[in-house]
Amino acid sequence: MAAMFMVEPSPAAADPIPLKTLAAAARAGDGIMFGSAIQSALIDPDSDGDETYEQRAAAEFSLIAPENDLIWEVTEPTEPTREGGEWVHNYAWNRAEEVVDFADRNGQTIIGHHLVWHSSVPSWWPRMPGPDGKPIPNPEAYTPQVVREFLQDRVEDTVNRFEGRIGYWSVVNEVFAENGSWRPSIWQRAYPNPVPDSYGYIADSFRWAHAADANAKLYINEYGVEGNTAKARALYDLVKRLRNDNVPIHGVGFQTHRKLTDGLTGFADMLRRFADLGVEVYITEMDVRIHDTATSGVELLQQAEVYGRAVRACLDVAACKFINLWGFTDAHSWIGTVFHIGWGRATVLTNTLAAKPAYNRIAAELAGWTAPVQNMAGWWRLDDWVAPDDAAMVASDVSGHGRPAAVAGFALGNEGRMPGYTAFRGNGVSTQATTTGPVLQTPQSFTVSAWVSLTDTTRDQVVVSQDAATSAAFSIGFNVASQKWYFSMADTYAQGPGFYQVFSTVTPQPGAWTHVTGVWNRAWGRLVLYVNGKLNAAVAPPASFLPKASTGSLRIGAALNGRHLAGSISDVRAYQRVLSDAEILDATSLGYFGLNGQTGDTSFFLRDGSSRPEVIRWLGTPDQMPNALRLTAGPNDSTRIEAVAVDIRPQVLRTDRSYSVSAWVNLEATGDMVAVAQDGIHRSAFRLGVRAGKWSFAIPSADADVVTMQVVNGPTAVAGWTHLVGVYDAEARQIRLYVNNVAQTPAANVTSWASANTLHLGQALDAPRWVGGIDDVRIYQTPLTLNEISLIPARS
Ligand code: XIL
């Protein structure tokens, strides 16, 4: 039992339990391996090595990665020669052998980094000037045939050499560029298809490695894929394709080289998404960079937070089998010497092997982990990136219950509810996504919500339903006769129509993304319908009403009666309980920046903010957990152009549609200042902050140099935490401002325009930066009213 281990928070604790022991016992005994990269030079039995380093590496870890000792340029320092039609290789295995022997002596599993990596091409391979003038390996130095032979020999000979001794191989590393395109390499050209293509060499490398050691687990390794990035989506598509082609790939390695301000939000979801493809997932090279100067104080705590989140994410996902650190002491981290000069204190132990807060935090997470509370019954995001030509497509259930929905006739290409996102697209005839069994017990209280956009309002349609024997037990959809949203439930004994339903008072607009929620509140005997997070209508069936039990599938975009949706759906959530009004409102938020020591977004869209300069300050002393963003000006910076700000990319809001922005702010200077803004090209599309000494929400009339400012002013801006909400209501053509839940006089006949650039905290294109505190920023693509604003939780 994990709970047996009590971990002392003090770094000076005597004989702490090693991480490998805590890790093995974690997850109620279904534990993980915990490891580190080590360097052969430091464990060299023939030279002095470093005894304390060796002892610690042996005692602390169940897993070891040779940091650089297995890469191609190290194992094959001289060009192969040709004899009798065969390549003769002059391998140098001594360094790798040292590490493998060390791990064998200590009963440690080994992960081999990496068989194929663009950055370890041996120096004998001829170079040419790259795009930036720096030398890169010349892909045309050898014929495609020879390139393939070299690659095959490298993979086969290396895996063969260590057959049975190296348990896991990083087969290919970093095959993508940041935007998700193939990274150019010497191997691409050897596989033209019809243009240089990486798929062939990747698939072949896995096949060759598997042929050389059928028992080794083979993974693909990548950085910058812990969040929802273009590269992560490309990697997902690749792994899916490899699996579909029966290529022997068993895992996906997330390098997890991060920095102190990374939220690592959504990491567990990302691990789960990959795990749903049937592979294991691993954290393979973790470090968290902070400044060299950070020997005490808040950066150490922020670092601990990032490590802690990663450990929890791995433990939360059953398919996550190990965490490997990229070095375990600041004395030998690659960060400060190679990757980010000045940011070298990236590991969990000091130069003298003393535990940093990060180490204690990892130990505490391993010892204290409990299964996440599962208060959802199912969650299908459907804003996915999955290739449209994939017949066996499945919408994974990210609630943790493992109730995937098989998609029939899925089509992409629709505008998702946020820029850059797709959605489930219903064709009105045959499309749907169905689970294999029931998700909800319909007689019990439940809540179901979805975002939906209709393209056709001339027929009855279903957004989500769950089957009873002969009809849906419940369904949410669009009713053509009334032109309203409906939520209906079938009655077990009813005569007549056999169901009860509630209609919305609002009329859906074709093409407008709308959040619809149906709640069956059994205790109160009510069917309740919410639209855009707001309670819209309710009915109370007679006391004789007994909801039909449901034993069949949950269907997205369809019902048993054959009605399908013509339009788009995303973010379908099911709960076996009644959600509060505040919870339903929260589900409509498209961005939440809690700013508790992190700039991460914990909403669905997981946009992590980055700050300029890299370090920002947080309120609270270093000993407390920081709980707000604090933006400061430079020392001699009267214009505040040096003040710190946070950038959130990509675009967060559609400013040509209704939206609301909520933020807590605290002033530490006078004059105009902006707390939240989203940029167009010449202007920010809105700014929430202080204008002419007053709280203010302002929208310029156009994205141009000469504009009129459309403004709602509030009371005089003063210091002290203040809650501001700016609202643009496209239908009413109004802008509104709420200051501490008090509505100010709105501005009428307002135009707002589309903006596609960064959302900022503390900055706008056309106004001075913020000086003071900003906290709990929430973004909604709906026009909130006072009722909903009063449901926004207090500052955390
Ligand atoms: C790094 C090593 O730690 C350094 O010593 C070396 O100079 C460069 O490579 N991603 C990877 C690792 O996959 O192999 C890299 O290791 C770090 C980034």
Side-chain angles (χ1 to χ4, degrees):
M1 287 293 293
M4 272 165 34
F5 296 97
M6 297 301 296
V7 176
E8 292 290 327
S10 153
D15 292 336
I17 301 164
L19 295 179
K20 67 176 179 192
T21 311
L22 293 170
R27 215 150 54 188
D30 181 20
I32 58 171
M33 293 182 288
F34 207 100
S36 176
I38 63 170
Q39 299 173 10
S40 58
L42 299 168
I43 53 153
D44 188 346
D46 303 329
S47 78
D48 281 347
D50 175 340
E51 232 173 82
T52 51
Y53 179 94
E54 278 177 53
Q55 284 165 2
R56 194 65 182 254
E60 195 80 64
F61 303 112
S62 45
L63 187 76
I64 287 296
E67 184 166 338
N68 294 307
D69 308 301
L70 266 172
I71 62 176
W72 189 20
E73 63 175 322
V74 169
T75 63
E76 190 164 14
T78 57
E79 187 174 7
T81 52
R82 197 131 176 107
E83 260 174 41
E86 289 289 306
W87 291 109
V88 179
H89 297 276
N90 309 297
Y91 290 122
W93 300 116
N94 51 318
R95 282 175 53 180
E97 290 285 5
E98 276 173 30
V99 179
V100 173
D101 287 345
F102 175 88
D104 281 351
R105 279 201 303 281
N106 296 304
Q108 294 161 316
T109 299
I110 301 162
I111 57 178
H113 273 211
H114 321 276
L115 292 172
V116 184
W117 183 28
H118 69 280
S119 172
S120 71
V121 178
S123 56
W124 46 261
W125 191 293
R127 292 331 204 231
M128 64 176 205
D132 59 0
K134 291 196 194 124
I136 57 165
N138 182 354
E140 302 194 5
Y142 302 92
T143 64
Q145 168 72 21
V146 169
V147 174
R148 285 197 298 271
E149 287 168 6
F150 282 178
L151 179 67
Q152 181 167 4
D153 287 358
R154 154 71 181 160
V155 172
E156 284 182 350
D157 294 352
T158 311
V159 177
N160 257 324
R161 171 86 193 189
F162 297 99
E163 189 191 347
R165 296 176 79 197
I166 292 191
Y168 295 78
W169 280 104
S170 161
V171 176
V172 294
N173 186 36
E174 302 176 355
V175 302
F176 290 109
E178 306 315 314
N179 66 3
S181 64
W182 295 124
R183 181 193 290 279
S185 71
I186 53 172
W187 304 289
Q188 275 192 331
R189 198 181 133 267
Y191 287 81
N193 175 32
V195 288
D197 175 38
S198 297
Y199 186 75
Y201 87 75
I202 295 168
D204 270 359
S205 298
F206 275 95
R207 292 189 184 108
W208 291 325
H210 187 63
D213 186 348
N215 293 320
K217 291 208 172 164
L218 307 178
Y219 60 93
I220 185 166
N221 203 50
E222 189 53 87
Y223 71 86
V225 290
E226 293 78 24
N228 186 355
T229 59
K231 198 199 258 182
R233 297 194 282 276
L235 179 63
Y236 179 92
D237 286 343
L238 170 61
V239 173
K240 186 164 197 172
R241 184 172 165 196
L242 291 166
R243 301 274 305 161
N244 282 345
D245 293 351
N246 285 321
V247 174
I249 175 170
H250 311 112
V252 176
F254 295 73
Q255 289 187 13
T256 324
H257 296 290
R258 309 299 310 193
K259 67 169 189 269
L260 76 167
T261 49
D262 288 351
L264 269 188
T265 43
F267 189 18
D269 288 339
M270 193 54 68
L271 295 173
R272 227 174 253 131
R273 277 186 164 160
F274 278 89
D276 284 344
L277 295 175
V279 291
E280 296 186 339
V281 290
Y282 320 117
I283 294 176
T284 55
E285 303 184 7
M286 184 152 191
D287 45 34
V288 180
R289 58 187 184 274
I290 60 174
H291 283 106
D292 284 344
T293 48
T295 49
S296 65
V298 72
E299 287 194 28
L300 288 175
L301 298 179
Q302 289 178 283
Q303 180 183 52
E305 173 73 17
V306 182
Y307 272 108
R309 285 179 185 218
V311 171
R312 211 176 320 145
C314 177
L315 293 177
D316 280 353
V317 179
C320 185
K321 300 299 183 190
F322 64 74
I323 297 173
N324 189 62
L325 307 174
W326 209 240
F328 61 92
T329 157
D330 289 344
H332 302 292
S333 167
W334 74 299
I335 296 285
T337 49
V338 182
F339 189 45
H340 266 255
I341 312 293
W343 286 76
R345 292 190 192 273
T347 75
V348 300
L349 301 178
T350 66
N351 287 339
T352 55
L353 305 188
K356 294 162 66 178
Y359 177 92
N360 296 320
R361 179 63 180 272
I362 291 172
E365 293 287 352
L366 290 171
W369 181 87
T370 51
V373 179
Q374 300 292 2
N375 69 10
M376 300 185 92
W379 185 5
W380 304 270
R381 290 189 152 168
L382 295 162
D383 65 338
D384 232 75
W385 47 65
V386 186
D389 56 356
D390 189 337
M393 216 195 60
V394 154
S396 56
D397 166 16
V398 297
S399 75
H401 288 290
R403 292 169 170 152
V407 183
F410 185 68
L412 291 175
N414 243 39
E415 178 200 62
R417 69 202 162 99
M418 285 302 295
Y421 285 79
T422 57
F424 172 95
R425 184 184 189 179
N427 63 7
V429 184
S430 57
T431 45
Q432 59 180 316
T434 45
T435 62
T436 48
V439 170
L440 293 166
Q441 294 182 287
T442 41
Q444 310 298 328
S445 290
F446 66 88
T447 303
V448 176
S449 69
W451 285 88
V452 55
S453 162
L454 300 174
T455 50
D456 179 355
T457 48
T458 64
R459 54 175 144 169
D460 287 331
Q461 291 164 65
V462 176
V463 178
V464 55
S465 69
Q466 188 173 295
D467 296 356
T470 54
S471 69
F474 82 84
S475 77
I476 295 174
F478 171 73
N479 174 267
V480 70
S482 62
Q483 291 286 302
K484 304 293 187 211
W485 301 109
Y486 76 84
F487 168 41
S488 91
M489 289 181 70
D491 187 2
T492 311
Y493 302 117
Q495 315 294 314
F499 57 85
Y500 292 96
Q501 56 188 336
V502 54
F503 292 101
S504 66
T505 59
V506 296
T507 302
Q509 300 302 310
W513 276 100
T514 308
H515 188 257
V516 183
T517 305
V519 179
W520 162 235
N521 186 328
R522 188 181 176 216
W524 290 3
R526 280 196 176 81
L527 279 75
V528 192
L529 189 60
Y530 290 73
V531 179
N532 282 338
K534 192 198 297 214
L535 198 156
N536 190 255
V539 301
S544 63
F545 174 55
L546 180 62
K548 231 182 215 174
S550 164
T551 49
S553 302
L554 181 129
R555 292 175 195 259
I556 295 164
L560 199 56
N561 64 9
R563 286 197 179 118
H564 295 260
L565 183 103
S568 304
I569 302 179
S570 70
D571 192 15
V572 178
R573 306 184 191 192
Y575 304 78
Q576 192 67 67
R577 66 183 178 91
V578 174
L579 258 60
S580 69
D581 289 3
E583 286 174 311
I584 292 170
L585 177 69
D586 190 56
T588 70
S589 154
L590 296 189
Y592 173 48
F593 302 86
L595 300 170
N596 296 325
Q598 299 289 337
T599 53
D601 172 10
T602 51
S603 83
F604 187 92
F605 289 103
L606 316 172
R607 306 171 199 86
D608 280 359
S610 59
S611 49
R612 286 164 297 112
E614 279 211 71
V615 169
I616 40 181
R617 305 207 350 224
W618 303 89
L619 291 182
T621 70
D623 300 321
Q624 291 169 327
M625 217 40 226
N627 67 352
L629 177 65
R630 186 182 189 202
L631 302 174
T632 49
N636 305 312
D637 184 13
S638 55
T639 56
R640 299 204 281 256
I641 46 170
E642 289 167 17
V644 185
V646 174
D647 301 332
I648 295 150
R649 296 192 189 85
Q651 166 197 2
V652 172
L653 272 174
R654 292 183 190 270
T655 46
D656 54 342
R657 299 182 184 171
S658 297
Y659 63 87
S660 308
V661 175
S662 158
W664 285 89
V665 296
N666 198 350
L667 290 177
E668 290 182 39
T670 52
D672 285 7
M673 284 189 279
V674 172
V676 190
Q678 180 171 297
D679 291 352
I681 294 163
H682 304 281
R683 293 274 175 178
S684 295
F686 68 86
R687 26 161 140 140
L688 182 66
V690 180
R691 188 183 158 83
K694 297 186 149 58
W695 299 117
S696 145
F697 184 55
I699 296 185
S701 55
D703 193 7
D705 291 333
V706 183
V707 293
T708 40
M709 269 297 178
Q710 312 169 98
V711 185
V712 184
N713 282 323
T716 303
V718 290
W721 283 107
T722 304
H723 184 220
L724 301 180
V725 182
V727 176
Y728 168 61
D729 185 332
E731 246 175 88
R733 295 199 57 200
Q734 248 185 12
I735 56 175
R736 304 194 285 262
L737 173 68
Y738 301 82
V739 180
N740 289 332
N741 291 358
V742 177
Q744 311 300 313
T745 312
N749 291 322
V750 169
T751 8
S752 184
W753 37 273
S755 58
N757 291 318
T758 305
L759 184 112
H760 300 286
L761 306 185
Q763 191 196 350
L765 274 182
D766 45 9
R769 295 187 188 184
W770 192 263
V771 175
I774 300 181
D775 202 7
D776 277 14
V777 176
R778 293 170 200 266
I779 311 284
Y780 305 82
Q781 194 67 70
T782 51
L784 300 187
T785 59
L786 192 55
N787 274 343
E788 295 143 315
I789 287 165
S790 54
L791 291 172
I792 294 175
R795 193 175 82 80
S796 67

